[in-house]
């Protein structure tokens, strides 16, 4: 009995040592800092400094409920949130007279919200989306119990219009929800809204809803040429954007926008918090609207335009350098995403490169320096040389 107690004591002691070591804030900070400067394969801008907001970490902040409706709980940043929504409505060719929105926990929540509003519009609709769509769409459709059909993609990641037309022709009696990609995750491909509208006309679909997943491109597309056509001037119904991707920040977030009539259909008043319940979660992050707001104040449209241009230049450089060392590399139009033949697993791990099948990508977001690209190219070239020799 005593032996057991001693052994148990020793085990607990050792475990505790490990826990204490795991819990060192400095260790965690250093690990993330190091890893966050080295990755090249994810669309997360790294050039931000939000340290002026540190005092807010010692406050209760909560944006519970609709951003346009005050709550009995008055510890919110809804004024900043409304300005963020207004800014995005404007760059997406609309205004807050027509469009309503809120700051989400990320692109996935915005996509879930768009699909939710779409579902509330119709009886037994079918959702169409391409096979290049973000993995989260499946889970969202499952949560909403929505019937759906996967459409083939073209090689570049864009939806296959012929396949879409054939599928629609087979289901002309059902309302259609189009879940479109304005920049796919892997190749930054943009589904062509003009072509899709033409197909809708040809199939004479009367009841339809268009949601745009612009997780990465939403804060870029309004400022580049050729400008992808996906905003409210094209009569889309909802758009989801990630805030922590091209804008960047320490906390995942996003913006979802929709025509007011869709939001008005689902609005619900709740006496407990004295506000309107129009969002997916109850309590909502009050810090992320503040960070997005401060970015917009500092950079504005002009700043976003410069950022996009600078990133495009780096992407063009990366594509050129890869081709120079004999790697098969390409981009969709002026994309920030450079797609190329996947290098070894070691190299993918070292530079945190996402890969799918035989391709990998580098996403030239703000905060990635040309020297980092050069170091990667050197590594890749060495690897090719060794492979050639063996
Ligand atoms: C990143 C991404 C998402 C998911 O966004 P989160 O902000 O990570 O939830 C959805 N769609 C596309 C195309 C994406 O690139």
């Amino acid at each position: 009995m005593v032996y057991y107690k001693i052994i148990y004591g020793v085990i607990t002691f050792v475990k505790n040592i490990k826990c204490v070591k795991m819990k060192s804030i400095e260790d965690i900070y250093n690990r993330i800092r190091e890893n966050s400067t080295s990755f090249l394969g994810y669309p997360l801008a790294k050039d931000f400094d939000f340290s002026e907001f540190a005092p807010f970490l010692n406050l209760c902040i909560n944006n519970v409920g609709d951003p346009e409706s005050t709550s009995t709980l008055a510890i919110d940043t809804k004024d900043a949130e409304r300005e963020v929504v207004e800014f995005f409505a404007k760059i997406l060719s609309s205004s807050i007279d027509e469009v309503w929105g809120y700051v989400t926990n990320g692109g996935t929540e915005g996509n879930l919200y768009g699909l939710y509003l779409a579902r509330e519009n119709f009886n037994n609709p079918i959702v169409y989306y391409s096979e290049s769509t973000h993995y989260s769409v499946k889970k969202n459709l499952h949560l909403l119990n929505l019937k759906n059909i996967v459409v083939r993609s073209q090689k570049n990641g864009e939806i296959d219009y012929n396949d879409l037309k054939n599928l629609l022709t087979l289901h002309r009696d059902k309302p259609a929800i189009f879940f479109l990609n304005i920049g796919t995750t892997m190749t930054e491909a943009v589904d062509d809204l003009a072509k899709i509208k033409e197909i809708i006309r040809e199939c004479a679909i009367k009841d339809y809803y268009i949601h745009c997943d612009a997780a990465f491109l939403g804060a870029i597309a309004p400022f580049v040429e050729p400008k992808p056509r996906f905003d409210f001037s094209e009569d889309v119904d909802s758009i989801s954007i990630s805030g922590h991707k091209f804008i960047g920040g320490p906390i995942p977030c996003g913006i979802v926008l929709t025509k007011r009539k869709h939001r008005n259909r689902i609005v619900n008043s709740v006496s407990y918090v004295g506000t309107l319940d129009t969002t997916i979660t109850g309590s909502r992050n009050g810090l992320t609207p503040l960070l997005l707001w401060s970015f917009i104040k500092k950079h504005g449209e002009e700043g976003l335009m410069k950022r996009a241009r600078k990133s495009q230049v780096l992407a063009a450089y990366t594509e050129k350098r890869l081709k120079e060392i004999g790697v098969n590399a390409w981009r969709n139009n002026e994309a920030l995403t450079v797609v190329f033949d996947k290098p070894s697993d070691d190299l993918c791990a070292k530079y945190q490169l996402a890969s799918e099948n035989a391709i990998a990508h580098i996403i030239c977001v703000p905060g990635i320096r040309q020297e980092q690209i050069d170091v990667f190219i050197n590594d890749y070239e060495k690897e090719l040389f060794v492979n050639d020799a063996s």
Side-chain angles (χ1 to χ4, degrees):
M1 207 50 211
V2 175
Y3 285 124
Y4 279 124
K5 271 193 180 159
I6 292 171
I7 290 168
Y8 184 71
V10 170
I11 289 172
T12 314
F13 179 66
V14 171
K15 262 192 186 161
N16 283 344
I17 292 177
K18 233 178 145 187
C19 284
V20 168
K21 211 171 152 222
M22 289 275 296
K23 271 191 200 139
S24 150
I25 292 174
E26 214 185 334
D27 284 352
I28 299 173
Y29 176 83
N30 287 334
R31 172 175 57 80
I32 298 175
R33 196 185 57 173
E34 195 168 304
N35 291 346
S36 70
T37 50
S38 61
F39 72 78
L40 297 179
Y42 290 89
L44 311 172
K46 325 167 175 202
D47 61 337
F48 54 85
D49 179 354
F50 289 116
S51 46
E52 64 180 307
F53 290 95
F56 285 85
L57 292 179
N58 292 335
L59 297 177
C60 287
I61 317 176
N62 197 322
N63 282 17
V64 61
D66 191 292
E68 291 178 0
S69 133
T70 54
S71 165
T72 330
L73 186 66
I75 49 169
D76 61 78
T77 59
K78 287 185 182 180
D79 42 359
E81 184 176 15
R82 286 194 298 272
E83 281 193 41
V84 171
V85 170
E86 189 175 354
F87 177 84
F88 277 92
K90 182 161 171 262
I91 66 170
L92 298 168
S93 306
S94 190
S95 74
I96 44 162
D97 297 332
E98 307 286 325
V99 160
W100 172 93
Y102 72 95
V103 174
T104 63
N105 290 305
T108 304
E109 183 185 339
N111 287 334
L112 176 66
Y113 196 72
L115 287 169
Y116 165 57
L117 294 180
R119 190 191 69 177
E120 298 305 289
N121 249 322
F122 305 121
N123 253 333
N124 287 325
I126 299 179
V127 181
Y128 298 86
Y129 65 96
S130 85
E131 57 183 324
S132 305
T133 303
H134 191 259
Y135 62 86
S136 62
V137 75
K138 278 211 188 92
K139 176 176 53 193
N140 283 345
L141 291 168
H142 189 62
L143 282 168
L144 292 165
N145 196 22
L146 273 163
K147 193 170 171 197
N148 60 87
I149 300 180
V150 184
V151 184
R152 281 195 201 103
S153 289
Q154 303 177 49
K155 264 221 162 81
N156 73 338
E158 201 174 330
I159 198 166
D160 181 326
Y161 305 99
N162 290 327
D163 195 36
L164 177 64
K165 189 173 174 191
N166 292 338
L167 292 168
L168 266 182
T169 308
L170 291 174
H171 303 281
R172 284 180 54 187
D173 55 327
K174 296 277 193 328
I177 298 169
F178 299 95
F179 186 99
L180 305 184
N181 285 305
I182 309 304
T184 57
T185 308
M186 205 52 210
T187 67
E188 211 181 306
V190 177
D191 295 339
D192 189 326
L193 193 53
K195 285 185 188 157
I196 288 161
K197 279 185 171 169
E198 181 58 30
I199 295 168
I200 295 172
R201 260 193 302 279
E202 283 169 12
C203 294
I205 307 281
K206 286 282 171 289
D207 291 331
Y208 64 91
Y209 182 109
I210 298 175
H211 174 80
C212 294
D213 178 359
F216 181 52
L217 276 191
I220 303 168
F223 309 109
V224 297
E225 291 293 335
K227 182 176 162 179
R229 291 172 51 185
F230 72 97
D231 64 21
F232 290 102
S233 66
E234 308 287 334
D235 210 28
V236 304
D237 292 285
S238 49
I239 301 173
S240 169
I241 304 169
S242 295
H244 58 289
K245 288 190 172 173
F246 190 63
I247 289 177
I251 309 169
C253 60
I255 302 99
V256 68
L257 297 164
T258 175
K259 286 180 181 165
R260 280 190 179 269
K261 65 173 182 189
H262 297 310
R263 172 268 192 190
N264 293 344
R265 190 175 289 120
I266 56 104
V267 69
N268 223 334
S269 181
V270 187
S271 65
Y272 176 68
V273 278
T275 184
L276 299 174
D277 186 26
T278 45
T279 56
I280 293 202
T281 64
S283 288
R284 292 190 305 114
N285 200 320
L287 204 49
T288 48
L290 207 53
L291 305 186
L292 292 173
W293 174 80
S294 99
F295 178 92
I296 288 166
K297 286 285 154 216
K298 277 189 194 136
H299 300 266
E301 290 185 45
E302 189 83 0
L304 275 172
M305 199 178 299
K306 277 192 198 139
R307 244 167 123 70
R309 190 67 213 127
K310 208 172 151 198
S311 303
Q312 283 180 330
V313 169
L314 186 61
Y317 173 82
T318 306
E319 183 187 359
K320 183 181 95 162
R321 292 287 287 120
L322 280 163
K323 282 178 172 159
E324 279 170 6
I325 63 165
V327 172
N328 178 27
W330 58 275
R331 287 190 297 150
N332 272 311
N333 285 320
E334 285 293 307
L336 310 193
T337 303
V338 185
V339 186
F340 52 94
D341 295 343
K342 182 179 174 288
S344 69
D345 289 343
D346 283 350
L347 222 55
C348 284
K350 182 172 173 190
Y351 293 95
Q352 299 174 62
L353 301 180
S355 66
E356 200 176 272
N357 304 323
I359 59 168
H361 65 202
I362 284 178
I363 306 183
C364 295
V365 282
I368 290 184
R369 289 169 291 108
Q370 189 176 307
E371 304 86 75
Q372 282 178 285
I373 300 291
D374 290 336
V375 172
F376 166 74
I377 296 281
N378 274 341
D379 266 359
Y380 200 171
E381 193 173 22
K382 265 185 228 150
E383 187 172 294
L384 292 171
F385 185 73
V386 169
N387 286 349
D388 269 358
S390 62

